[in-house]
């Protein structure tokens, strides 16, 4: 899935790792991602969290999509900040799952910037695209 994700890669995201229900994705905040208040636009932060969530919930194979998500903006991010989103599966039940994603600044303090909870749903009868 990651190899075909042109949107995330076009924003400069880098997949650091993925495994059973987990993923780590890094992105640097560029000048084009900063809003009129001089901080990272929430839409870009949501996209980073959503990307880590998508990789984690698709890590086991069945095609899985987001069914919903909630996000809390905990601290601002600024141009030049390198952020790392770490997603982990909390639980799966039937075709559904819950995933938590934390975005931290990639610095010695590891400041938490975002907390995100995603809800996933496996799509029946859809095979992974070649």
């Amino acid at each position: 899935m990651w190899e075909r994700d042109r949107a995330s890669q076009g924003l400069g995201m880098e997949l650091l790792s993925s495994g059973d229900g987990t993923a780590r994705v890094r992105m640097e905040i560029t000048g084009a991602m900063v809003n009129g208040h001089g901080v990272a636009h929430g839409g870009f932060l949501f996209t980073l969290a959503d990307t880590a969530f998508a990789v984690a919930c698709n890590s086991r194979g069945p095609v899985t999509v987001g069914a919903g998500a909630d996000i809390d903006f905990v601290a601002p991010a600024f141009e030049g900040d390198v952020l790392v989103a770490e997603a982990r599966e909390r639980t799966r039940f039937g075709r559904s799952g819950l995933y938590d994603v934390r975005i931290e600044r990639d610095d010695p303090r590891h400041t938490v910037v975002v907390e995100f909870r995603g809800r996933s749903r496996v799509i029946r009868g859809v095979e992974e695209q070649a």
Side-chain angles (χ1 to χ4, degrees):
M1 183 195 93
W2 173 257
E3 290 78 19
R4 293 183 312 279
D5 187 346
R6 296 185 325 203
S8 298
Q9 292 178 30
L11 291 172
M13 292 184 201
E14 177 186 357
L15 179 61
L16 301 177
S17 64
S18 66
D20 281 345
T22 66
R24 292 184 75 230
V25 179
R26 177 173 39 211
M27 179 178 80
E28 181 174 348
I29 300 300
T30 68
M33 297 175 180
V34 175
N35 66 23
H37 296 294
V39 299
H41 190 290
F44 290 106
L45 300 176
F46 186 96
T47 302
L48 175 59
D50 189 51
T51 295
F53 162 57
V55 172
C57 69
N58 279 279
S59 64
R60 291 193 172 89
V63 174
T64 306
V65 297
D70 297 302
I71 190 166
D72 291 296
F73 301 104
V74 178
F78 303 95
E79 183 176 352
D81 283 350
V82 176
L83 304 177
V84 176
E86 186 160 354
R88 63 186 175 101
E89 181 180 275
R90 300 299 298 165
T91 189
R92 288 189 309 164
F93 48 101
R95 293 175 27 226
S96 299
L98 291 174
Y99 294 77
D100 286 337
V101 182
R102 172 176 280 182
I103 297 177
E104 295 180 347
R105 220 177 260 115
D106 190 14
D107 64 13
R109 292 180 46 206
H110 299 285
T111 303
V112 176
V113 175
V114 163
E115 290 284 349
F116 171 106
R117 169 147 293 176
R119 298 174 299 282
S120 69
R121 187 79 170 163
V122 172
I123 302 299
R124 288 188 191 161
V126 177
E127 298 298 320
E128 182 80 22
Q129 296 177 358

